[in-house]
Amino acid sequence: MPQPWWRSAVFYQVYVRSFADSDDDGIGDLPGITSRLDYIRDLGVDAIWLTPFYPSPQKDHGYDVSDYFGVNPEYGTLEDFDRLLARAHELRLKVLVDIVPNHTSSQHDWFQAAVSSADNPMRSRYHFADPRPDGSPPNNWTSSFGGPAWSPEPNGKQWYLHLFAPEQPDLNWFDPAVPAEFERILKFWLDRGADGFRIDVAAALFKRQDLADRPYITDRVTGARRFDSTFQIIEQPQLHDVYRRWRQIANGYEPARVLVGEIFEPRRHSKYIVPDQLHMAFALIQQPWDAALWRRSIDASRRALQGPGAEPTWTLANHDVKRPVTRLGGGSTGRARARAALLLLAGLPGQVFLYQGEELGLEEVDVPDERRQDPVFLHSGGKEKGRDGCRVPLPWRKGEPNAGFSTAGPWLPMPEGWGRYAVDVQAAVGGSTLAHFRRTLAERRRLARRLARRLQWLTAPADVLAYSRGPLTVACNFRNRPARLPAPGGLLLGSDPLVSVRHGVLTLPGNSAAWLL
Ligand code: GLC
């Protein structure tokens, strides 16, 4: 049986606002992406995921959608989208669109109608509730961006629910008009040729209808008392029914389109990644650099998937988390570990999602407070720094203003010396992180057919993880000192130039990994 295209595929997340700017206004756009698709193809990936490019007031950088059937004028037009798609398909790249079903923008026509009068029929598409008698919010739910999850409606007497920013009112999925509209939205993009969707906040669409207060619970890891953070969401049969419908829609196209849920918890994966619902969800590894913790994470994600042929979708980064190089220690240590981690994860059975800039070894940027734009920063009164640091535009050419991203100042400022990571610099150097990513993805593609799905963990020295998949052996050294282990094959790839195999012994310098064949 031929495998569907997405099995074992490598995806590349394009953060539209920061990838490439075609009209020099300091903001990335769709034609910019189209002009750089060759770069993405040359990396050796199979597909891209575009973050939301719909019309949006940009209160959460596109995750506040005011029209699901269009393109934000800052990013281009629908025709630009069509051109992007056509060029991607010419290059044999698939394209996933980001769909945002949990909430709309407060500027969306539905919400504008809903708040226009107390009896507007559109109100049932959102969650409105009376305040408590003392005038406080209807219950104690909190927004992921800080503060209460409720805000008073602008002109009426009730409050509305928003699990994110106040400009992102949550939709009421119990109103049949909501699922019906999203089916229309899915078909709109699929009919244009999109190859599937990344589904934002995929497990949270249905909220508790009793609006009960969140209880305090004791955190299993830290022992601290805190609010149960998922209490407001219910795992309802209704949500599974929604995804069954979406899967039928996806299956109605040739080849079938794919659905990737923004769901991170392995215990949820087992419920959604099943043959009649979603194809993939993220196995995001955010553990500190520790062999035992990584092994546990990998095993937990693999165990969660029981469906025939289902394998996890490995990822280290996205536009919401601190850049892996920084998380893993920063500077040359962090970069060495991130390079090693690529070999460790890209050797596993399953799919891989990369986030733009990982291939350049970019670090989290300490954006000056006065330039921060993330609602997480704004709504926490600056207590949480937020996610701007991983969203700084890509450096393309070293010698040019703003590292070749744009002649105008970019929407988030680039730090001093950003150009040293530029694509043109790294493309010219064999040992660069970019070269390492290209080589790794090329080997992964070349070996794809020969790799067994079965993974076997091998005995290895302390703080070293090693496994085999058919003829391939992967080993990763989590220590800062070198490690030696028997080499069952010749050296195919090393994350560090000093990785070597001699007389049947693999030597891994500190924080390095290897593929042996
Ligand atoms: C998802 C997105 C994040 C956004 C949030 C609300 O987690 O990845 O960027 O802020 O949903 O839409």
Side-chain angles (χ1 to χ4, degrees):
M1 268 262 290
Q3 293 284 328
W5 71 264
W6 55 271
R7 279 259 159 90
S8 307
V10 179
F11 296 77
Y12 182 86
Q13 180 190 351
V14 174
Y15 192 75
V16 173
R17 209 169 174 78
S18 297
F19 186 70
D21 178 13
S22 71
D23 57 359
D24 281 325
D25 62 355
I27 295 174
D29 48 45
L30 298 184
I33 298 167
T34 307
S35 73
R36 297 285 186 183
L37 284 171
D38 294 72
Y39 166 75
I40 299 178
R41 192 266 325 266
D42 292 346
L43 256 182
V45 306
D46 305 288
I48 62 176
W49 149 30
L50 299 173
T51 52
F53 49 77
Y54 312 96
S56 154
Q58 302 290 323
K59 297 293 181 192
D60 185 19
H61 293 120
Y63 287 97
D64 50 324
V65 181
S66 52
D67 170 11
Y68 290 86
F69 301 97
V71 173
N72 176 8
E74 284 177 322
Y75 297 154
T77 61
L78 271 175
E79 291 65 45
D80 290 326
F81 173 77
D82 293 340
R83 275 190 283 273
L84 187 161
L85 200 62
R87 179 68 187 140
H89 287 165
E90 260 169 41
L91 295 172
R92 301 175 142 272
L93 288 169
K94 306 277 189 187
V95 177
L96 304 189
V97 172
D98 208 320
I99 186 148
V100 188
N102 182 67
H103 42 263
T104 65
S105 158
S106 54
Q107 296 305 312
H108 190 281
D109 286 348
W110 287 7
F111 192 74
Q112 288 295 307
V115 294
S116 67
S117 69
D119 53 4
N120 192 288
M122 288 291 177
R123 290 178 80 80
S124 65
R125 299 190 184 185
Y126 296 90
H127 299 275
F128 288 93
D130 291 330
R132 298 193 207 214
D134 66 357
S136 62
N139 65 23
N140 71 355
W141 298 359
T142 50
S143 147
S144 312
F145 292 166
W150 298 90
S151 290
E153 57 174 315
N155 304 308
K157 295 201 172 65
Q158 289 196 304
W159 294 54
Y160 67 92
L161 178 71
H162 52 85
L163 295 187
F164 297 93
E167 298 88 353
Q168 293 168 296
D170 278 57
L171 284 163
N172 174 17
W173 275 78
F174 289 103
D175 181 334
V178 172
E181 179 72 351
F182 273 88
E183 291 188 10
R184 219 160 67 81
I185 297 166
L186 290 184
K187 289 178 193 153
F188 176 82
W189 294 101
L190 295 178
D191 289 344
R192 286 197 106 82
D195 298 290
F197 297 97
R198 177 265 190 188
I199 307 163
D200 191 54
V201 201
L205 308 191
F206 289 88
K207 315 298 181 305
R208 294 181 71 97
Q209 287 178 298
D210 61 5
L211 300 187
D213 266 348
R214 280 177 177 186
Y216 268 111
I217 53 164
T218 305
D219 190 292
R220 262 193 296 163
V221 182
T222 62
R225 295 277 285 163
R226 61 166 176 80
F227 281 127
D228 178 349
S229 58
T230 56
F231 179 76
Q232 71 278 18
I233 302 160
I234 37 170
E235 305 267 5
Q236 298 223 6
Q238 285 90 332
L239 184 49
H240 296 289
D241 288 342
V242 165
Y243 291 141
R244 287 192 189 101
R245 252 318 277 152
W246 287 21
R247 181 69 172 245
Q248 281 169 5
I249 292 172
N251 287 347
Y253 291 80
E254 181 46 47
R257 307 306 201 234
V258 298
L259 304 170
V260 188
E262 192 207 8
I263 305 177
F264 299 109
E265 306 86 347
R267 70 184 162 78
R268 289 214 167 109
H269 290 173
S270 55
K271 298 188 192 137
Y272 291 96
I273 311 307
V274 288
D276 66 346
Q277 297 183 51
L278 307 182
H279 299 84
M280 289 171 259
F282 300 104
L284 171 67
I285 301 202
Q286 289 208 75
Q287 308 288 1
W289 188 241
D290 175 290
L293 294 178
W294 280 55
R295 163 93 192 252
R296 212 180 299 156
S297 243
I298 293 170
D299 284 340
S301 291
R302 298 199 74 221
R303 260 198 316 271
L305 297 184
Q306 308 295 343
E311 290 290 350
T313 301
W314 307 108
T315 181
L316 288 174
N318 60 45
H319 64 294
D320 293 328
V321 299
K322 196 181 263 182
R323 289 250 179 217
V325 170
T326 308
R327 233 163 57 212
L328 297 174
S332 55
T333 304
R335 199 160 289 114
R337 290 173 176 171
R339 289 170 63 131
L342 175 72
L343 289 184
L344 182 65
L345 294 190
L348 293 170
Q351 300 66 242
V352 174
F353 268 69
L354 302 173
Y355 172 53
Q356 70 181 40
E358 268 189 282
E359 77 281 15
L360 302 176
L362 296 186
E363 286 209 55
E364 189 79 1
V365 174
D366 189 12
V367 177
D369 283 0
E370 64 280 7
R371 295 292 305 272
R372 288 199 180 259
Q373 308 215 7
D374 185 358
V376 170
F377 178 80
L378 306 175
H379 292 290
S380 70
K383 262 198 286 180
E384 306 268 346
K385 287 290 173 196
R387 305 160 294 180
D388 294 312
C390 66
R391 299 174 176 181
V392 170
L394 285 198
W396 289 99
R397 282 183 296 269
K398 183 168 180 228
E400 296 188 8
N402 304 308
F405 173 74
S406 179
T407 51
W411 71 281
L412 281 175
M414 291 174 166
E416 230 4 76
W418 200 230
R420 70 182 181 282
Y421 302 117
V423 170
D424 69 340
V425 176
Q426 298 205 36
V429 179
S432 68
T433 299
L434 177 59
H436 172 59
F437 272 69
R438 286 181 175 162
R439 269 196 302 272
T440 303
L441 299 186
E443 289 299 346
R444 181 184 152 102
R445 182 172 280 180
R446 198 172 63 84
L447 290 174
R449 267 165 229 239
R450 295 172 57 196
L451 294 184
R453 268 199 53 223
R454 224 176 93 75
L455 171 144
Q456 189 162 8
W457 290 106
L458 305 174
T459 332
D463 306 318
V464 174
L465 291 186
Y467 60 81
S468 67
R469 268 183 82 193
L472 178 72
T473 301
V474 177
C476 180
N477 179 12
F478 284 74
R479 315 175 186 174
N480 290 321
R481 299 170 282 115
R484 285 185 184 79
L485 53 157
L491 183 63
L492 182 64
L493 289 171
S495 65
D496 180 301
L498 296 179
V499 173
S500 69
V501 171
R502 248 175 245 126
H503 311 300
V505 175
L506 166 66
T507 301
L508 292 172
N511 304 311
S512 73
W515 279 15
L516 307 178
L517 195 65

